[in-house]
Amino acid sequence: MKPSVLIAAGLMAALPAAAQPQTWSWDDGTVPYVQTPMEIVERMLRMAEVGRDDYVIDLGSGDGRIVIEAAKRGARGLGVDLDPELVKHATENARRAGVADRAQFMVKDIFETDLSAATVVAFYLLPDFNASLLPRLLKLKPGTRIVSHDGGIGDWPPDERLEMRAPEKPVGVGGVSRVELWIVPADARGSWTSEIPAHGGTWRLKINQTFQVLDIDVAAQGRDLLVRNSRLRGEEIKIIVTGVVNGRAWHHYFVGTLKDDRIAGEVTVSDGNNKRSFPWTATRAP
């Protein structure tokens, strides 16, 4: 099977009944061609929080329904598909929906499509194709959202996952669909130093990272502190730390934005009775 063969995200829902293809078929005898139910399209766009500032790229765009629905929300979008007839029908569907100025469709291989301008990437592909896309997806700008119908991306764990029933789904058992969201993480790895003069002085953080999952060691005033939780969502990093600082036990809630080798944000500290906040910046060691 050639790597350019893929599952399309939609069929020609806007065509007259006599012209509509069946809801699934075989493009070369091996790869199914399946539509995404409209309620799943809606859920995918909601999960990715698509809005007017977004540029959506749909890989395997079929009848164009994902890009068209995104355009109705004010976004711009590009759908790519190998089938010229599908691209033609998607273009016509966009015109009929009144969003032709914001929805473009092209005959193109997904592996030759430039994704760098996307703020959202959507697809409904076979897992092997998703896994092949993984290296390219991880190189996208931190914060880019990736949403998939019924398919993971290699060993990259999703940030969000939802299962829902879609009665009109033409394949699978029980009409159950899985929608998953990934947010491209910033690179947080390394040793970081932070100065909080009024609360502990010099703080040191050592961060190991696997995709968006962080393993963090934190120390202040020569004492190792307990990291209770952390989250990296695009460029936003949150860390919960407890421990003794300035001779008292404190709960610390760090929230910051990571850009290049700097984190800027705020830390809120509480001892159960008193709460205060301090500016928080951290610098990564070369």
Side-chain angles (χ1 to χ4, degrees), residues 225-238:
L225 305 180
L226 177 63
V227 178
R228 293 191 173 275
N229 208 343
S230 64
R231 189 183 79 172
L232 180 64
R233 192 174 176 92
E235 295 179 322
E236 181 188 65
I237 186 168
K238 296 182 177 182

Side-chain angles (χ1 to χ4, degrees), residues 188-196 202-208 214-220 225 227 230 237-241 254 263 280-285:
R189 293 169 294 181
S191 297
W192 298 79
T193 301
S194 179
E195 297 294 335
I196 309 176
T202 301
W203 288 65
R204 302 191 185 280
L205 299 83
K206 184 176 181 181
I207 302 178
N208 293 312
L214 304 180
D215 181 13
I216 307 176
D217 294 323
V218 174
L225 305 180
V227 178
S230 64
I237 186 168
K238 296 182 177 182
I239 310 171
I240 303 294
V241 179
F254 293 86
I263 300 172
W280 173 49
T281 59
T283 304
R284 177 161 34 199

Side-chain angles (χ1 to χ4, degrees), residues 55-59 61-68 71 75-81 86-88 90-92 94-95 99-108:
Y55 184 66
V56 179
I57 296 181
D58 182 13
L59 301 177
S61 52
D63 70 350
R65 59 183 60 190
I66 288 177
V67 173
I68 290 169
R76 295 179 302 113
L78 169 67
V80 300
D81 202 291
L86 287 174
V87 170
K88 177 182 177 181
T91 301
E92 176 61 17
R95 185 192 66 79
V99 295
D101 59 329
R102 297 193 299 278
Q104 179 186 10
F105 299 93
M106 298 176 60
V107 177
K108 202 168 185 65

